[in-house]
Amino acid sequence: MVAKMIARIGLTLLFISALQAEDDAWDMFDEMSEALGGKWTLSAPQKQTGTLSYQHPGLKEIVGNPKRVGIEFTLIGGEVTLMEDLLPHTVKKMVTMYHCKDIACTTLKATHYCSKQNQPQFIMNLKKSGGNTFVFDCDMSTELCRSKEDHVHQIVHQLSEGGKHLKISYFSWQEGKLKKSHSIYHFDKQ
């Protein structure tokens, strides 16, 4: 009888924990969608601090140009997927899809369709995310994330200036360790 009661308590705690994770993941998805949604311009060179990524020859026409979209976040698929269209209409165009990992939405997942010609998958780091920061770590259950192949291993979105400025860092790994060069971009809300 005691064993049954302990088992029931354990199942109840597991169920409550799963519900809490679902609420956290959905809440984080809503928070991220609301904060990032819409069109952003690629910031002017003087705001591109800590990076040279904006100097790519294919981006000359859009750096600091308020008439050109640098990144756009759009809800698709019945508003359960957030599509990031990075550097549209350029040679560096990439897309990332953010969505629930499963029907219970226990965590958020992302798939990045990269100019490195691979598609790393990510899991949101709920402990490091919140407020003005959204962190996605490479999903180590996938072959690419465990490989020595050059790939984006972490994506970090950081908002500032009352949500009007966005810094996105794409941290790359190769041979199982962090590379010295990363793709970092600064954007301003249109």
Side-chain angles (χ1 to χ4, degrees), residues 98-118:
Y98 301 92
H99 53 88
C100 286
K101 180 180 179 184
D102 50 36
I103 194 82
C105 199
T106 54
T107 192
L108 295 181
K109 187 170 179 99
T111 303
H112 176 68
Y113 299 89
C114 192
S115 61
K116 296 175 190 267
Q117 299 180 354
N118 55 29

Side-chain angles (χ1 to χ4, degrees), residues 39-42 58-59 62 68-73 84-95 187:
K39 297 177 181 180
W40 300 73
T41 59
L42 192 58
L59 303 181
I62 70 168
R68 294 288 304 270
V69 174
I71 192 167
E72 183 174 6
F73 294 89
E84 170 189 307
D85 190 0
L86 173 65
L87 308 170
H89 311 293
T90 72
V91 297
K92 295 279 291 175
K93 176 185 171 100
M94 292 173 268
V95 172
F187 300 94

Side-chain angles (χ1 to χ4, degrees), residues 31-44 47-48 62-74 82-88 132 134 157-168 185-190:
E31 194 175 314
M32 184 176 167
S33 300
E34 188 174 319
L36 301 179
K39 297 177 181 180
W40 300 73
T41 59
L42 192 58
S43 302
K47 287 182 105 174
Q48 296 290 342
I62 70 168
V63 175
N65 184 344
K67 294 180 181 178
R68 294 288 304 270
V69 174
I71 192 167
E72 183 174 6
F73 294 89
T74 308
L82 182 64
M83 181 177 71
E84 170 189 307
D85 190 0
L86 173 65
L87 308 170
N132 293 328
F134 306 98
H157 299 77
Q158 296 170 291
L159 289 158
S160 61
E161 298 176 19
K164 298 293 183 191
H165 183 78
L166 173 63
K167 174 185 176 184
I168 303 180
Y185 301 98
H186 292 265
F187 300 94
D188 297 301
K189 188 78 168 185
Q190 281 191 326

